[in-house]
Each structure stands twice: as C-alpha cells, then as structure tokens.
Amino acid sequence: TTTTTTTAAAATATATTTTTTTTTTTTTTAAAPVAARPTTTTTTTTTTTTTTTTTTTITTTTTPESESTSTAPLPAVSTPHSESAAPNDSTGVPCRRPRVPVVHGSKPNKPKKTPDVVVLPKIGRLRMFCVLLADHHKPYLEQNAVNKLKQLAKFGKTSTATGSTYEKKVKYDVVVPQERFREHYVRMKAKQKHWAVDWTECTDPQKFVFEDVGIAAYLIAVWEQERAQTGCGVQSFADVGCGNGLLVNFLADEGHPGFGVDLQKRAIWDKFALGPERIRLEEIDPTCAAYDVDWIIGNHSDELTPWIPLIAARSSYRTKFMLLPCCFHDFTHKFAQNNIKLGQYKTYITYLEKICQALGFEIDVDVLRIPSTKNVALVARRRAYPVECYAERLAALPELQRQLVQASMLKAKKRAGTSTSEAPPEEEVSFSRRVAQSSHKHR
C-alpha cells in the first residue's frame, strides 16, 4: 500500500493506491513408483486493484486585522463521479455526496481549530452549479434544481449574528401534495399543449392555456384525493362564468361530467368536442342560481366571485366550490377596501373568507402553482354544521344574502359620501344583476 499526501495552502488532495499480489501454487505428482521424486509447478498471478479518491477542500478563516493577509482563497472543486465504477454496477456509486464542512457567517473571537468548520466573511458570494446526469435528465428535474437553488439563496440571507430567520410568505400544497399535482400537470400539459397553437382568441395562449392546465391538474388532484378519502364517485362540476371554456374542456377530457356557463360566446368554443349542453350560453342571475353538481368553480369570475359561495350554499349540502379570484368586486360594486399592511389582494381574500365562513363553509386557502400573480384559491370541501341543520340554514339564506348585499351597498355609499337612504336595497340587487351579466374580458 502506498499513500501520498500533498498539502498546498488551504487545499488538500489524497490519493491512495492499493496493490494486492495473489500467489497460487499448483502441485502435480507424476504417476511413478513410490521412490520417484514428485514434480511441483508454481504459478504466480498478480492482480492490481487501484482505487483513487480525490477530495479538495477549501478552508477560509477570519483573522484579526493585524494578522490579515491579501492572499486570495483558492477555488473549491469537487469531483463526485468515480470513473472506476461500472455503469450498471449496483455496488458502485455513480455519484456521491462529498463531505461538506459547516459554514456560518459569525466572526469568532478565536480562530476555529476544527478542520470541518469554514468561517466565511459576513458579506460574501457563494456560487453553486447543479449539473444533472445525462442519463436521468428530465425537464421537471431541471426546474426543481433551479427552484432549490433559489430557495437556498433565500435561506442564505439568514444571519446568526442578528438572529433574523427567513420565513415563507405564502403556503403551497395545503390541500394536495405537490407530487400529486405535478404528476397530473406534466401529463395534462403534454396532452393539451396543442391548444397554444390552435388558439383563436386575441389573448395570450401561452398564459391562458397553461394556466388552465394547472388549474385543471389541481382540481383533478383534489377530486382524486376526495374519492380516496370518502369513497364517492366521479365528481360533477359547473364552471360559472367559464369564459373561453378551456377549463371545462380539460376537465371533460379527464372524464368528469359537468358544464360551463357564460353570457358571451367565444370563437374557440366551436373547436371543442363539447355539445351545447356542456358549454352553455345563458344569463346568470346570482341571486337565485343553483346547480345540481358536486363542485362549483369560480375561475376568475369577476363580478360573480362573491356570489359563488352563495350559489354553492343554495345548491345542496353536498355542493362544494373552488374560488380563484382575480378582479376585485363585492356584491354591488368594485371592491375598494385596502389594508395597507396586507395589500388589496390579501384584503380581498380575507373579505371572501369571511363571507364563506358566514355561510357555514370551512375554507382552505391554498396557493396554486400556476403562471399567474392571482393564484390564491379558496377551497371549500366541508361544512361547519351537520347535514341535519341544512334545511334550517337554507331557510335563513335569503336574509343572510340581503344583509351581505346591504353591507356592500352601505360601504359604497359611504365611500361616495351620499346618504344611505337614497336607494332601497331592491335597486342595488338589480344593479348587482346587471353587473353580474357583464362580459368577462380577461377570459
């Protein structure tokens, strides 16, 4: 065994070469009289096994000003691949994780003697490169690697000296795991990407096609989880204010019965393999609308957004909904409230949460992984009261609806500085109907 160690500045490299010699002795005895001398033949076979491991470690220490030098630190290089390992060898390691030293940004009073500790300056730069194996390259793995590096950059802002820590501002994957969503998204994206070429609307296909693919994949994952937990059948749906109808088409392709309804027909409707019963052109009266379906979808439904929980509460006890708000509207006017600390979008989400809770829904607020800045969804999968109380709740719903509409009317008049007794609530409800019947420009 021969061991060679070379030390230069802060970099160390160790190379170990092992040589093994095996001697095999073969004895051959001739068939001769007992007095005859036996004949012995010796064969020597030498087998050489060479294992080379190279590890380079960089150590940077902080020294007092009087002892500081201008020597630049050497670059750190790690070679994780072993050329001696066979490609299909189960015992070989095609890629290993080298020993990583502890890195921190605090300045110690005394130099650290532990070789595993690397002391970096408080202000510095860390570069990381992630190279995927060619044999296992997949597009989503590359995207995951980029996301992980971005997360590491955020975590790197944590300072042990000041005690500050990084905390996520939003929570993803509240309802379904990311893996389940990503499986459906990758599959559906490959299946539906042709709509980005066959687009007939004046809007951006790259945004709307893949955004609706993400929403559809999320709903498919939610419904799949619901069937596994409750044992229910394939869920039906109604997309209220369906716009271009892409979401309706995607969910129908996945085998879910349902329909979309909107006040304005889109040219792309003619390209869908959906009959007039699956995508309907009709007026929507949110004050009395009800649909006999399992789920109601409010995807960027604009003026209809606050009415979706009321429609779901009015439909049946089993009816659930998903609300993905975009433009800000209350029951009668544009939503103008704005909490400076939260921002108007978060203020609007909180406003919708209170409406849902007043109607007896338990709400999960989830952030969808879609290409849109308006990606916060309110998912109502449960009621806060048993089914025995539904009849009583349904009887009290008209009064609760009147109170919600009246509250929106009073807030609008307060902002306008007019008297609260100038118009009766009935006129405001009629105004709400007219607003709800306007076209959805974004879809």
Side-chain angles (χ1 to χ4, degrees):
T1 303
T2 304
T3 304
T4 304
T5 304
T6 304
T7 305
T12 61
T14 303
T16 303
T17 304
T18 304
T19 304
T20 304
T21 303
T22 305
T23 304
T24 305
T25 304
T26 306
T27 303
T28 305
T29 304
V34 178
R37 180 178 298 179
T39 303
T40 304
T41 303
T42 303
T43 304
T44 303
T45 304
T46 303
T47 304
T48 303
T49 303
T50 304
T51 303
T52 304
T53 304
T54 304
T55 304
T56 305
T57 307
I58 178 148
T59 304
T60 304
T61 58
T62 303
T63 57
E65 295 181 358
S66 58
E67 302 178 4
S68 61
T69 61
S70 60
T71 304
L74 298 177
V77 180
S78 176
T79 307
H81 295 82
S82 176
E83 297 181 356
S84 61
N88 299 324
D89 186 8
S90 59
T91 60
V93 182
C95 182
R96 64 176 177 83
R97 293 185 179 182
R99 188 178 183 183
V100 179
V102 179
V103 179
H104 62 86
S106 59
K107 184 177 181 180
N109 296 328
K110 297 181 180 180
K112 294 289 183 179
K113 297 181 180 181
T114 306
D116 290 339
V117 175
V118 177
V119 183
L120 300 178
K122 291 185 178 181
I123 301 177
R125 177 176 296 177
L126 174 65
R127 288 187 178 182
M128 294 192 65
F129 300 89
C130 182
V131 181
L132 301 176
L133 299 178
D135 296 339
H136 302 82
H137 181 269
K138 294 182 179 180
Y140 72 89
L141 288 179
E142 183 177 354
Q143 185 61 40
N144 284 347
V146 174
N147 293 337
K148 293 300 181 184
L149 292 179
K150 290 181 179 179
Q151 289 180 2
L152 183 61
K154 292 181 180 180
F155 296 154
K157 296 179 181 179
T158 302
S159 174
T160 56
T162 60
S164 61
T165 57
Y166 170 76
E167 183 178 356
K168 287 186 176 181
K169 296 181 180 180
V170 296
K171 294 182 179 180
Y172 293 89
D173 315 313
V174 175
V175 179
V176 292
Q178 178 185 357
E179 293 76 12
R180 299 302 303 154
F181 163 77
R182 189 172 293 277
E183 281 184 23
H184 291 294
Y185 179 76
V186 172
R187 175 181 57 82
M188 295 181 65
K189 182 179 180 181
K191 181 181 179 181
Q192 306 291 352
K193 64 182 180 181
H194 66 90
W195 289 110
V197 180
D198 302 335
W199 193 248
T200 59
E201 303 297 310
C202 59
T203 52
D204 181 14
Q206 295 294 328
K207 177 187 186 304
F208 289 100
V209 172
F210 297 113
E211 179 179 340
D212 281 356
V213 167
I215 298 171
Y218 179 82
L219 284 170
I220 294 298
V222 171
W223 294 345
E224 183 181 67
Q225 178 177 273
E226 183 184 25
R227 291 195 300 272
Q229 294 175 351
T230 64
C232 65
V234 178
Q235 295 88 339
S236 58
F237 69 92
D239 187 355
V240 182
C242 63
N244 54 45
L246 274 176
L247 183 58
V248 179
N249 186 55
F250 294 161
L251 296 177
D253 283 350
E254 296 297 315
H256 286 270
F259 61 91
V261 55
D262 203 281
L263 292 162
Q264 182 179 353
K265 184 180 178 181
R266 308 301 198 272
I268 200 171
W269 287 9
D270 297 330
K271 289 183 171 291
F272 298 149
L274 301 173
E277 71 282 354
R278 300 297 299 275
I279 188 163
R280 307 174 184 176
L281 179 64
E282 63 183 34
E283 292 186 354
I284 305 171
D285 186 353
T287 62
C288 60
Y291 303 100
D292 185 19
V293 293
D294 297 315
W295 281 77
I296 293 179
I297 303 170
N299 175 25
H300 295 183
S301 48
D302 292 352
E303 295 89 355
L304 290 171
T305 298
W307 292 95
I308 297 297
L310 275 166
I311 296 174
R314 192 184 302 120
S315 297
S316 68
Y317 182 80
R318 81 176 195 280
T319 303
K320 311 167 186 66
F321 69 87
M322 188 201 76
L323 197 58
L324 190 63
C326 177
C327 302
F328 309 143
H329 293 272
D330 59 19
F331 290 96
T332 58
H333 299 81
K334 280 187 173 292
F335 183 82
Q337 301 177 44
N338 185 11
N339 187 325
I340 299 178
K341 295 182 179 180
L342 299 177
Q344 190 173 20
Y345 185 48
K346 179 61 177 177
T347 304
Y348 188 56
I349 296 296
T350 304
Y351 165 75
L352 294 175
E353 281 188 78
K354 292 180 180 179
I355 294 175
C356 299
Q357 292 168 359
L359 293 170
F361 290 100
E362 293 183 1
I363 295 297
D364 293 315
V365 180
D366 204 353
V367 180
L368 273 58
R369 300 176 182 273
I370 57 176
S372 175
T373 56
K374 303 294 190 300
N375 58 348
V376 178
L378 285 78
V379 184
R381 300 178 292 168
R382 298 172 298 274
R383 302 289 178 109
Y385 57 88
V387 64
E388 294 79 12
C389 300
Y390 179 67
E392 180 182 354
R393 287 271 187 163
L394 186 61
L397 189 60
E399 176 61 21
L400 180 57
Q401 176 178 303
R402 189 194 66 81
Q403 293 176 6
L404 292 172
V405 173
Q406 181 73 7
S408 297
M409 178 194 68
L410 293 177
K411 289 179 181 178
K413 289 185 176 182
K414 184 178 179 180
R415 291 193 301 269
T418 59
S419 173
T420 58
S421 59
E422 290 183 1
E426 290 77 9
E427 294 185 10
E428 294 299 329
V429 174
S430 299
F431 169 79
S432 176
R433 293 180 182 177
R434 294 194 300 271
V435 171
Q437 292 172 0
S438 62
S439 62
H440 310 294
K441 297 179 181 179
H442 74 285
R443 296 183 70 196

